[in-house]
Amino acid sequence: MDSTESSYISSAEPLTNAPPKSPPSPSSDVAEKPTYVRFLVSNSAAGSVIGKGGSTITDFQSQSGARIQLSRNHEFFPGTTDRIIMVSGAINEILKAVELILSKLLSEVNSENDNDAEPKSKVRLVVPNGSCGRIIGKGGATIRSFIEDSQAGIKISPQDNNYFGINDRLVTLTGTLDEQMHAVDLIVSKLSEDSHYSQSINSPMSYPGVSSSGYHGAPSLLPSGNPSDYITNGPGVKFENSKEERSNSLTIGVLDGHVGFVVGRGGRNIMEISQTSGARVKISDRGDYISGTSERKVTITGSQRAIHTAESMILKKVAYATEKAIEVE
């Protein structure tokens, strides 16, 4: 794995696992079955996990036998400014890697504080909504037993309906490192019994429409081409990039006053467009217009079909915005 800060792997490659050193459950099949866990770290903490030239993450992978992946710099979990770490492998490999990561982060936090540093901390796991029922159990029986066994605090967030298409929830673990690791063991072992959960190991860690600031809506445009590459003919008209990029990237102009209709409240519209089409949509910052116009740059990236679908959906939003403007007049 390329372990530099800029590295990002959106889907797991085939895993090669060493035999489990000490199966954490009576079922060796479950212990050996490849699974995964995702959790959040701050952007600055991610740098500590990676290490200089990727030395730390390489060492952690070597010691644990697990695979460790991070979302790209500034690609955050929706509504936060935290990056996502995914650790995959056999359960005992995952637990070893998670313990190495959390131990390092906890030691760095304690070294920055005074002598009476609080030994308790929190870890936020990212769990698909459909798998949370296994952690909760009938009438909350399973989560109560996990809390009693581990002595860790375990809290599952409600499903966040503010973000279209986001089907993950946060499971927050509080306590000492030992208590958190015991809770992680119980949770991952339970989730690994769910075939749907294990199959989602290949799901991408990124969330369509998430901007570099951690919010859904209008991500900053990463310019491709010069202003002269764009030809303006009015709102909603195509502005194609240079020929070599034409197959997978398209930029259209949208009047500044109409961008809100494309983004939608809380970023719902742009999330829906990305989710439905499969394309990546970026909108330039306020004031960053196509040369000689008052139109923001909306860059669509993906397959030809994805680009076409996203473009059509955006133009419908623009047409609706135009109609509303006419009604006001």
PDB file of all heavy atoms in Angstrom, residues 240-279:
ATOM      1  N   GLU A 240     -17.028  22.704 -21.994  1.00  0.00           N
ATOM      2  CA  GLU A 240     -16.202  21.500 -22.014  1.00  0.00           C
ATOM      3  C   GLU A 240     -14.750  21.822 -21.740  1.00  0.00           C
ATOM      4  O   GLU A 240     -14.236  22.852 -22.156  1.00  0.00           O
ATOM      5  CB  GLU A 240     -16.337  20.785 -23.361  1.00  0.00           C
ATOM      6  CG  GLU A 240     -17.731  20.207 -23.584  1.00  0.00           C
ATOM      7  CD  GLU A 240     -17.799  19.359 -24.824  1.00  0.00           C
ATOM      8  OE1 GLU A 240     -16.910  19.520 -25.680  1.00  0.00           O
ATOM      9  OE2 GLU A 240     -18.718  18.553 -24.949  1.00  0.00           O
ATOM     10  N   ASN A 241     -14.096  20.923 -21.031  1.00  0.00           N
ATOM     11  CA  ASN A 241     -12.685  21.081 -20.751  1.00  0.00           C
ATOM     12  C   ASN A 241     -11.867  20.733 -21.997  1.00  0.00           C
ATOM     13  O   ASN A 241     -12.406  20.381 -23.036  1.00  0.00           O
ATOM     14  CB  ASN A 241     -12.269  20.177 -19.593  1.00  0.00           C
ATOM     15  CG  ASN A 241     -12.920  20.622 -18.294  1.00  0.00           C
ATOM     16  OD1 ASN A 241     -13.329  21.772 -18.165  1.00  0.00           O
ATOM     17  ND2 ASN A 241     -13.024  19.712 -17.341  1.00  0.00           N
ATOM     18  N   SER A 242     -10.560  20.819 -21.859  1.00  0.00           N
ATOM     19  CA  SER A 242      -9.687  20.515 -22.978  1.00  0.00           C
ATOM     20  C   SER A 242      -9.918  19.088 -23.466  1.00  0.00           C
ATOM     21  O   SER A 242     -10.395  18.240 -22.722  1.00  0.00           O
ATOM     22  CB  SER A 242      -8.229  20.699 -22.547  1.00  0.00           C
ATOM     23  OG  SER A 242      -7.966  19.957 -21.383  1.00  0.00           O
ATOM     24  N   LYS A 243      -9.563  18.792 -24.710  1.00  0.00           N
ATOM     25  CA  LYS A 243      -9.935  17.546 -25.371  1.00  0.00           C
ATOM     26  C   LYS A 243      -9.517  16.302 -24.592  1.00  0.00           C
ATOM     27  O   LYS A 243     -10.255  15.337 -24.517  1.00  0.00           O
ATOM     28  CB  LYS A 243      -9.322  17.506 -26.778  1.00  0.00           C
ATOM     29  CG  LYS A 243      -9.957  18.501 -27.730  1.00  0.00           C
ATOM     30  CD  LYS A 243      -9.321  18.403 -29.113  1.00  0.00           C
ATOM     31  CE  LYS A 243      -9.960  19.405 -30.073  1.00  0.00           C
ATOM     32  NZ  LYS A 243      -9.343  19.329 -31.413  1.00  0.00           N
ATOM     33  N   GLU A 244      -8.324  16.358 -23.969  1.00  0.00           N
ATOM     34  CA  GLU A 244      -7.852  15.152 -23.313  1.00  0.00           C
ATOM     35  C   GLU A 244      -8.679  14.809 -22.073  1.00  0.00           C
ATOM     36  O   GLU A 244      -8.642  13.696 -21.591  1.00  0.00           O
ATOM     37  CB  GLU A 244      -6.365  15.285 -22.926  1.00  0.00           C
ATOM     38  CG  GLU A 244      -6.060  16.422 -21.957  1.00  0.00           C
ATOM     39  CD  GLU A 244      -5.732  17.701 -22.691  1.00  0.00           C
ATOM     40  OE1 GLU A 244      -6.086  17.817 -23.889  1.00  0.00           O
ATOM     41  OE2 GLU A 244      -5.108  18.584 -22.079  1.00  0.00           O
ATOM     42  N   GLU A 245      -9.451  15.784 -21.551  1.00  0.00           N
ATOM     43  CA  GLU A 245     -10.253  15.527 -20.363  1.00  0.00           C
ATOM     44  C   GLU A 245     -11.721  15.327 -20.696  1.00  0.00           C
ATOM     45  O   GLU A 245     -12.521  15.035 -19.838  1.00  0.00           O
ATOM     46  CB  GLU A 245     -10.134  16.703 -19.383  1.00  0.00           C
ATOM     47  CG  GLU A 245      -8.719  16.886 -18.844  1.00  0.00           C
ATOM     48  CD  GLU A 245      -8.597  18.159 -18.037  1.00  0.00           C
ATOM     49  OE1 GLU A 245      -9.446  19.052 -18.228  1.00  0.00           O
ATOM     50  OE2 GLU A 245      -7.685  18.261 -17.217  1.00  0.00           O
ATOM     51  N   ARG A 246     -12.079  15.485 -21.958  1.00  0.00           N
ATOM     52  CA  ARG A 246     -13.484  15.534 -22.331  1.00  0.00           C
ATOM     53  C   ARG A 246     -14.214  14.232 -22.037  1.00  0.00           C
ATOM     54  O   ARG A 246     -15.396  14.212 -21.799  1.00  0.00           O
ATOM     55  CB  ARG A 246     -13.601  15.889 -23.804  1.00  0.00           C
ATOM     56  CG  ARG A 246     -14.976  16.318 -24.234  1.00  0.00           C
ATOM     57  CD  ARG A 246     -14.936  16.912 -25.619  1.00  0.00           C
ATOM     58  NE  ARG A 246     -14.146  18.126 -25.656  1.00  0.00           N
ATOM     59  CZ  ARG A 246     -13.722  18.700 -26.774  1.00  0.00           C
ATOM     60  NH1 ARG A 246     -13.974  18.135 -27.948  1.00  0.00           N
ATOM     61  NH2 ARG A 246     -13.017  19.812 -26.739  1.00  0.00           N
ATOM     62  N   SER A 247     -13.480  13.119 -22.043  1.00  0.00           N
ATOM     63  CA  SER A 247     -14.131  11.827 -21.860  1.00  0.00           C
ATOM     64  C   SER A 247     -14.611  11.600 -20.437  1.00  0.00           C
ATOM     65  O   SER A 247     -15.513  10.817 -20.215  1.00  0.00           O
ATOM     66  CB  SER A 247     -13.161  10.706 -22.247  1.00  0.00           C
ATOM     67  OG  SER A 247     -12.030  10.738 -21.410  1.00  0.00           O
ATOM     68  N   ASN A 248     -14.029  12.282 -19.452  1.00  0.00           N
ATOM     69  CA  ASN A 248     -14.434  11.998 -18.084  1.00  0.00           C
ATOM     70  C   ASN A 248     -14.666  13.235 -17.230  1.00  0.00           C
ATOM     71  O   ASN A 248     -14.791  13.140 -16.026  1.00  0.00           O
ATOM     72  CB  ASN A 248     -13.393  11.114 -17.389  1.00  0.00           C
ATOM     73  CG  ASN A 248     -12.034  11.798 -17.302  1.00  0.00           C
ATOM     74  OD1 ASN A 248     -11.865  12.947 -17.692  1.00  0.00           O
ATOM     75  ND2 ASN A 248     -11.057  11.084 -16.789  1.00  0.00           N
ATOM     76  N   SER A 249     -14.705  14.399 -17.834  1.00  0.00           N
ATOM     77  CA  SER A 249     -14.930  15.612 -17.061  1.00  0.00           C
ATOM     78  C   SER A 249     -15.680  16.651 -17.889  1.00  0.00           C
ATOM     79  O   SER A 249     -15.385  16.825 -19.074  1.00  0.00           O
ATOM     80  CB  SER A 249     -13.592  16.191 -16.585  1.00  0.00           C
ATOM     81  OG  SER A 249     -13.795  17.352 -15.798  1.00  0.00           O
ATOM     82  N   LEU A 250     -16.645  17.284 -17.269  1.00  0.00           N
ATOM     83  CA  LEU A 250     -17.431  18.309 -17.938  1.00  0.00           C
ATOM     84  C   LEU A 250     -17.699  19.436 -16.957  1.00  0.00           C
ATOM     85  O   LEU A 250     -17.989  19.189 -15.786  1.00  0.00           O
ATOM     86  CB  LEU A 250     -18.769  17.716 -18.414  1.00  0.00           C
ATOM     87  CG  LEU A 250     -19.774  18.713 -19.024  1.00  0.00           C
ATOM     88  CD1 LEU A 250     -19.291  19.162 -20.396  1.00  0.00           C
ATOM     89  CD2 LEU A 250     -21.147  18.066 -19.125  1.00  0.00           C
ATOM     90  N   THR A 251     -17.566  20.661 -17.400  1.00  0.00           N
ATOM     91  CA  THR A 251     -17.865  21.814 -16.557  1.00  0.00           C
ATOM     92  C   THR A 251     -18.995  22.609 -17.179  1.00  0.00           C
ATOM     93  O   THR A 251     -18.943  22.926 -18.373  1.00  0.00           O
ATOM     94  CB  THR A 251     -16.631  22.729 -16.393  1.00  0.00           C
ATOM     95  OG1 THR A 251     -15.572  21.986 -15.793  1.00  0.00           O
ATOM     96  CG2 THR A 251     -16.962  23.928 -15.519  1.00  0.00           C
ATOM     97  N   ILE A 252     -20.016  22.892 -16.380  1.00  0.00           N
ATOM     98  CA  ILE A 252     -21.104  23.750 -16.848  1.00  0.00           C
ATOM     99  C   ILE A 252     -21.150  24.988 -15.971  1.00  0.00           C
ATOM    100  O   ILE A 252     -20.653  24.981 -14.839  1.00  0.00           O
ATOM    101  CB  ILE A 252     -22.467  23.018 -16.827  1.00  0.00           C
ATOM    102  CG1 ILE A 252     -22.843  22.618 -15.414  1.00  0.00           C
ATOM    103  CG2 ILE A 252     -22.434  21.809 -17.745  1.00  0.00           C
ATOM    104  CD1 ILE A 252     -24.240  22.009 -15.314  1.00  0.00           C
ATOM    105  N   GLY A 253     -21.720  26.042 -16.500  1.00  0.00           N
ATOM    106  CA  GLY A 253     -21.832  27.285 -15.750  1.00  0.00           C
ATOM    107  C   GLY A 253     -23.233  27.432 -15.180  1.00  0.00           C
ATOM    108  O   GLY A 253     -24.220  27.207 -15.873  1.00  0.00           O
ATOM    109  N   VAL A 254     -23.320  27.806 -13.918  1.00  0.00           N
ATOM    110  CA  VAL A 254     -24.609  28.036 -13.261  1.00  0.00           C
ATOM    111  C   VAL A 254     -24.554  29.402 -12.594  1.00  0.00           C
ATOM    112  O   VAL A 254     -23.592  29.701 -11.868  1.00  0.00           O
ATOM    113  CB  VAL A 254     -24.918  26.945 -12.217  1.00  0.00           C
ATOM    114  CG1 VAL A 254     -26.184  27.286 -11.441  1.00  0.00           C
ATOM    115  CG2 VAL A 254     -25.057  25.588 -12.892  1.00  0.00           C
ATOM    116  N   LEU A 255     -25.563  30.229 -12.864  1.00  0.00           N
ATOM    117  CA  LEU A 255     -25.605  31.551 -12.256  1.00  0.00           C
ATOM    118  C   LEU A 255     -25.476  31.454 -10.746  1.00  0.00           C
ATOM    119  O   LEU A 255     -26.031  30.560 -10.110  1.00  0.00           O
ATOM    120  CB  LEU A 255     -26.917  32.255 -12.608  1.00  0.00           C
ATOM    121  CG  LEU A 255     -27.049  32.796 -14.038  1.00  0.00           C
ATOM    122  CD1 LEU A 255     -28.452  33.333 -14.279  1.00  0.00           C
ATOM    123  CD2 LEU A 255     -26.020  33.901 -14.297  1.00  0.00           C
ATOM    124  N   ASP A 256     -24.738  32.389 -10.176  1.00  0.00           N
ATOM    125  CA  ASP A 256     -24.485  32.381  -8.744  1.00  0.00           C
ATOM    126  C   ASP A 256     -25.788  32.282  -7.944  1.00  0.00           C
ATOM    127  O   ASP A 256     -25.881  31.535  -6.963  1.00  0.00           O
ATOM    128  CB  ASP A 256     -23.716  33.648  -8.357  1.00  0.00           C
ATOM    129  CG  ASP A 256     -23.195  33.582  -6.931  1.00  0.00           C
ATOM    130  OD1 ASP A 256     -22.721  32.501  -6.525  1.00  0.00           O
ATOM    131  OD2 ASP A 256     -23.263  34.589  -6.213  1.00  0.00           O
ATOM    132  N   GLY A 257     -26.806  32.983  -8.399  1.00  0.00           N
ATOM    133  CA  GLY A 257     -28.080  32.986  -7.684  1.00  0.00           C
ATOM    134  C   GLY A 257     -28.844  31.682  -7.773  1.00  0.00           C
ATOM    135  O   GLY A 257     -29.806  31.464  -7.027  1.00  0.00           O
ATOM    136  N   HIS A 258     -28.450  30.804  -8.700  1.00  0.00           N
ATOM    137  CA  HIS A 258     -29.137  29.532  -8.874  1.00  0.00           C
ATOM    138  C   HIS A 258     -28.411  28.358  -8.221  1.00  0.00           C
ATOM    139  O   HIS A 258     -28.950  27.241  -8.175  1.00  0.00           O
ATOM    140  CB  HIS A 258     -29.317  29.230 -10.368  1.00  0.00           C
ATOM    141  CG  HIS A 258     -30.240  30.182 -11.054  1.00  0.00           C
ATOM    142  ND1 HIS A 258     -30.388  30.223 -12.430  1.00  0.00           N
ATOM    143  CD2 HIS A 258     -31.074  31.146 -10.569  1.00  0.00           C
ATOM    144  CE1 HIS A 258     -31.268  31.164 -12.752  1.00  0.00           C
ATOM    145  NE2 HIS A 258     -31.693  31.742 -11.637  1.00  0.00           N
ATOM    146  N   VAL A 259     -27.192  28.609  -7.728  1.00  0.00           N
ATOM    147  CA  VAL A 259     -26.394  27.528  -7.146  1.00  0.00           C
ATOM    148  C   VAL A 259     -27.098  26.900  -5.946  1.00  0.00           C
ATOM    149  O   VAL A 259     -27.044  25.689  -5.734  1.00  0.00           O
ATOM    150  CB  VAL A 259     -24.993  28.039  -6.746  1.00  0.00           C
ATOM    151  CG1 VAL A 259     -24.276  27.045  -5.836  1.00  0.00           C
ATOM    152  CG2 VAL A 259     -24.149  28.286  -7.994  1.00  0.00           C
ATOM    153  N   GLY A 260     -27.797  27.723  -5.173  1.00  0.00           N
ATOM    154  CA  GLY A 260     -28.496  27.213  -3.998  1.00  0.00           C
ATOM    155  C   GLY A 260     -29.505  26.136  -4.340  1.00  0.00           C
ATOM    156  O   GLY A 260     -29.714  25.188  -3.565  1.00  0.00           O
ATOM    157  N   PHE A 261     -30.146  26.241  -5.518  1.00  0.00           N
ATOM    158  CA  PHE A 261     -31.112  25.238  -5.940  1.00  0.00           C
ATOM    159  C   PHE A 261     -30.412  23.927  -6.306  1.00  0.00           C
ATOM    160  O   PHE A 261     -30.988  22.850  -6.154  1.00  0.00           O
ATOM    161  CB  PHE A 261     -31.922  25.749  -7.142  1.00  0.00           C
ATOM    162  CG  PHE A 261     -32.920  26.804  -6.793  1.00  0.00           C
ATOM    163  CD1 PHE A 261     -32.548  28.144  -6.744  1.00  0.00           C
ATOM    164  CD2 PHE A 261     -34.232  26.476  -6.496  1.00  0.00           C
ATOM    165  CE1 PHE A 261     -33.457  29.126  -6.422  1.00  0.00           C
ATOM    166  CE2 PHE A 261     -35.153  27.449  -6.174  1.00  0.00           C
ATOM    167  CZ  PHE A 261     -34.773  28.789  -6.126  1.00  0.00           C
ATOM    168  N   VAL A 262     -29.183  24.031  -6.824  1.00  0.00           N
ATOM    169  CA  VAL A 262     -28.417  22.842  -7.175  1.00  0.00           C
ATOM    170  C   VAL A 262     -27.922  22.139  -5.901  1.00  0.00           C
ATOM    171  O   VAL A 262     -27.973  20.917  -5.792  1.00  0.00           O
ATOM    172  CB  VAL A 262     -27.222  23.199  -8.083  1.00  0.00           C
ATOM    173  CG1 VAL A 262     -26.369  21.962  -8.368  1.00  0.00           C
ATOM    174  CG2 VAL A 262     -27.709  23.819  -9.390  1.00  0.00           C
ATOM    175  N   VAL A 263     -27.470  22.939  -4.942  1.00  0.00           N
ATOM    176  CA  VAL A 263     -26.941  22.383  -3.692  1.00  0.00           C
ATOM    177  C   VAL A 263     -28.063  21.825  -2.819  1.00  0.00           C
ATOM    178  O   VAL A 263     -27.995  20.709  -2.322  1.00  0.00           O
ATOM    179  CB  VAL A 263     -26.149  23.451  -2.915  1.00  0.00           C
ATOM    180  CG1 VAL A 263     -25.723  22.912  -1.547  1.00  0.00           C
ATOM    181  CG2 VAL A 263     -24.927  23.902  -3.714  1.00  0.00           C
ATOM    182  N   GLY A 264     -29.138  22.612  -2.646  1.00  0.00           N
ATOM    183  CA  GLY A 264     -30.242  22.182  -1.801  1.00  0.00           C
ATOM    184  C   GLY A 264     -29.966  22.414  -0.329  1.00  0.00           C
ATOM    185  O   GLY A 264     -28.822  22.645   0.076  1.00  0.00           O
ATOM    186  N   ARG A 265     -31.018  22.356   0.467  1.00  0.00           N
ATOM    187  CA  ARG A 265     -30.872  22.576   1.902  1.00  0.00           C
ATOM    188  C   ARG A 265     -30.016  21.471   2.517  1.00  0.00           C
ATOM    189  O   ARG A 265     -30.287  20.293   2.357  1.00  0.00           O
ATOM    190  CB  ARG A 265     -32.242  22.594   2.573  1.00  0.00           C
ATOM    191  CG  ARG A 265     -32.182  22.812   4.087  1.00  0.00           C
ATOM    192  CD  ARG A 265     -33.552  22.978   4.679  1.00  0.00           C
ATOM    193  NE  ARG A 265     -34.198  24.206   4.218  1.00  0.00           N
ATOM    194  CZ  ARG A 265     -35.413  24.597   4.618  1.00  0.00           C
ATOM    195  NH1 ARG A 265     -36.116  23.845   5.440  1.00  0.00           N
ATOM    196  NH2 ARG A 265     -35.930  25.722   4.166  1.00  0.00           N
ATOM    197  N   GLY A 266     -28.970  21.887   3.235  1.00  0.00           N
ATOM    198  CA  GLY A 266     -28.075  20.915   3.842  1.00  0.00           C
ATOM    199  C   GLY A 266     -27.315  20.069   2.848  1.00  0.00           C
ATOM    200  O   GLY A 266     -26.754  19.038   3.192  1.00  0.00           O
ATOM    201  N   GLY A 267     -27.315  20.502   1.565  1.00  0.00           N
ATOM    202  CA  GLY A 267     -26.596  19.756   0.545  1.00  0.00           C
ATOM    203  C   GLY A 267     -27.367  18.554   0.011  1.00  0.00           C
ATOM    204  O   GLY A 267     -26.818  17.710  -0.691  1.00  0.00           O
ATOM    205  N   ARG A 268     -28.680  18.498   0.293  1.00  0.00           N
ATOM    206  CA  ARG A 268     -29.462  17.327  -0.107  1.00  0.00           C
ATOM    207  C   ARG A 268     -29.492  17.123  -1.618  1.00  0.00           C
ATOM    208  O   ARG A 268     -29.368  16.001  -2.113  1.00  0.00           O
ATOM    209  CB  ARG A 268     -30.894  17.451   0.412  1.00  0.00           C
ATOM    210  CG  ARG A 268     -31.028  17.234   1.914  1.00  0.00           C
ATOM    211  CD  ARG A 268     -32.453  17.500   2.367  1.00  0.00           C
ATOM    212  NE  ARG A 268     -32.549  17.354   3.808  1.00  0.00           N
ATOM    213  CZ  ARG A 268     -33.200  16.373   4.432  1.00  0.00           C
ATOM    214  NH1 ARG A 268     -33.780  15.437   3.712  1.00  0.00           N
ATOM    215  NH2 ARG A 268     -33.264  16.301   5.738  1.00  0.00           N
ATOM    216  N   ASN A 269     -29.689  18.220  -2.369  1.00  0.00           N
ATOM    217  CA  ASN A 269     -29.815  18.075  -3.824  1.00  0.00           C
ATOM    218  C   ASN A 269     -28.532  17.564  -4.462  1.00  0.00           C
ATOM    219  O   ASN A 269     -28.550  16.654  -5.297  1.00  0.00           O
ATOM    220  CB  ASN A 269     -30.214  19.410  -4.459  1.00  0.00           C
ATOM    221  CG  ASN A 269     -31.635  19.812  -4.124  1.00  0.00           C
ATOM    222  OD1 ASN A 269     -32.397  19.031  -3.554  1.00  0.00           O
ATOM    223  ND2 ASN A 269     -32.009  21.042  -4.464  1.00  0.00           N
ATOM    224  N   ILE A 270     -27.419  18.150  -4.077  1.00  0.00           N
ATOM    225  CA  ILE A 270     -26.155  17.753  -4.701  1.00  0.00           C
ATOM    226  C   ILE A 270     -25.779  16.338  -4.285  1.00  0.00           C
ATOM    227  O   ILE A 270     -25.182  15.576  -5.058  1.00  0.00           O
ATOM    228  CB  ILE A 270     -25.021  18.767  -4.383  1.00  0.00           C
ATOM    229  CG1 ILE A 270     -23.881  18.606  -5.398  1.00  0.00           C
ATOM    230  CG2 ILE A 270     -24.504  18.611  -2.970  1.00  0.00           C
ATOM    231  CD1 ILE A 270     -22.881  19.743  -5.365  1.00  0.00           C
ATOM    232  N   MET A 271     -26.157  15.950  -3.059  1.00  0.00           N
ATOM    233  CA  MET A 271     -25.931  14.576  -2.630  1.00  0.00           C
ATOM    234  C   MET A 271     -26.758  13.611  -3.472  1.00  0.00           C
ATOM    235  O   MET A 271     -26.285  12.554  -3.889  1.00  0.00           O
ATOM    236  CB  MET A 271     -26.311  14.425  -1.161  1.00  0.00           C
ATOM    237  CG  MET A 271     -25.173  14.720  -0.204  1.00  0.00           C
ATOM    238  SD  MET A 271     -23.809  13.560  -0.445  1.00  0.00           S
ATOM    239  CE  MET A 271     -24.622  12.031  -0.008  1.00  0.00           C
ATOM    240  N   GLU A 272     -28.013  13.976  -3.723  1.00  0.00           N
ATOM    241  CA  GLU A 272     -28.899  13.128  -4.513  1.00  0.00           C
ATOM    242  C   GLU A 272     -28.369  12.984  -5.935  1.00  0.00           C
ATOM    243  O   GLU A 272     -28.394  11.895  -6.516  1.00  0.00           O
ATOM    244  CB  GLU A 272     -30.311  13.712  -4.542  1.00  0.00           C
ATOM    245  CG  GLU A 272     -31.302  12.868  -5.338  1.00  0.00           C
ATOM    246  CD  GLU A 272     -32.694  13.463  -5.356  1.00  0.00           C
ATOM    247  OE1 GLU A 272     -32.852  14.616  -4.912  1.00  0.00           O
ATOM    248  OE2 GLU A 272     -33.615  12.776  -5.815  1.00  0.00           O
ATOM    249  N   ILE A 273     -27.887  14.089  -6.487  1.00  0.00           N
ATOM    250  CA  ILE A 273     -27.333  14.061  -7.844  1.00  0.00           C
ATOM    251  C   ILE A 273     -26.125  13.121  -7.911  1.00  0.00           C
ATOM    252  O   ILE A 273     -26.015  12.285  -8.814  1.00  0.00           O
ATOM    253  CB  ILE A 273     -26.948  15.491  -8.299  1.00  0.00           C
ATOM    254  CG1 ILE A 273     -28.213  16.348  -8.486  1.00  0.00           C
ATOM    255  CG2 ILE A 273     -26.134  15.449  -9.591  1.00  0.00           C
ATOM    256  CD1 ILE A 273     -27.934  17.835  -8.622  1.00  0.00           C
ATOM    257  N   SER A 274     -25.221  13.244  -6.939  1.00  0.00           N
ATOM    258  CA  SER A 274     -24.034  12.391  -6.914  1.00  0.00           C
ATOM    259  C   SER A 274     -24.406  10.930  -6.705  1.00  0.00           C
ATOM    260  O   SER A 274     -23.874  10.030  -7.355  1.00  0.00           O
ATOM    261  CB  SER A 274     -23.079  12.845  -5.802  1.00  0.00           C
ATOM    262  OG  SER A 274     -22.537  14.112  -6.080  1.00  0.00           O
ATOM    263  N   GLN A 275     -25.348  10.708  -5.773  1.00  0.00           N
ATOM    264  CA  GLN A 275     -25.736   9.342  -5.443  1.00  0.00           C
ATOM    265  C   GLN A 275     -26.428   8.664  -6.620  1.00  0.00           C
ATOM    266  O   GLN A 275     -26.165   7.504  -6.939  1.00  0.00           O
ATOM    267  CB  GLN A 275     -26.679   9.373  -4.228  1.00  0.00           C
ATOM    268  CG  GLN A 275     -26.945   8.029  -3.587  1.00  0.00           C
ATOM    269  CD  GLN A 275     -25.823   7.623  -2.651  1.00  0.00           C
ATOM    270  OE1 GLN A 275     -24.982   8.435  -2.322  1.00  0.00           O
ATOM    271  NE2 GLN A 275     -25.813   6.368  -2.251  1.00  0.00           N
ATOM    272  N   THR A 276     -27.336   9.378  -7.268  1.00  0.00           N
ATOM    273  CA  THR A 276     -28.124   8.804  -8.358  1.00  0.00           C
ATOM    274  C   THR A 276     -27.285   8.575  -9.613  1.00  0.00           C
ATOM    275  O   THR A 276     -27.390   7.538 -10.270  1.00  0.00           O
ATOM    276  CB  THR A 276     -29.315   9.719  -8.699  1.00  0.00           C
ATOM    277  OG1 THR A 276     -30.114   9.894  -7.524  1.00  0.00           O
ATOM    278  CG2 THR A 276     -30.163   9.121  -9.809  1.00  0.00           C
ATOM    279  N   SER A 277     -26.447   9.541  -9.933  1.00  0.00           N
ATOM    280  CA  SER A 277     -25.688   9.470 -11.182  1.00  0.00           C
ATOM    281  C   SER A 277     -24.391   8.685 -11.063  1.00  0.00           C
ATOM    282  O   SER A 277     -23.910   8.110 -12.036  1.00  0.00           O
ATOM    283  CB  SER A 277     -25.359  10.884 -11.669  1.00  0.00           C
ATOM    284  OG  SER A 277     -24.450  11.517 -10.781  1.00  0.00           O
ATOM    285  N   GLY A 278     -23.817   8.690  -9.868  1.00  0.00           N
ATOM    286  CA  GLY A 278     -22.511   8.071  -9.687  1.00  0.00           C
ATOM    287  C   GLY A 278     -21.369   8.990 -10.062  1.00  0.00           C
ATOM    288  O   GLY A 278     -20.204   8.593 -10.027  1.00  0.00           O
ATOM    289  N   ALA A 279     -21.690  10.233 -10.424  1.00  0.00           N
ATOM    290  CA  ALA A 279     -20.656  11.204 -10.795  1.00  0.00           C
ATOM    291  C   ALA A 279     -20.249  12.028  -9.583  1.00  0.00           C
ATOM    292  O   ALA A 279     -20.989  12.148  -8.613  1.00  0.00           O
ATOM    293  CB  ALA A 279     -21.173  12.129 -11.890  1.00  0.00           C
TER     294      ALA A 279
END
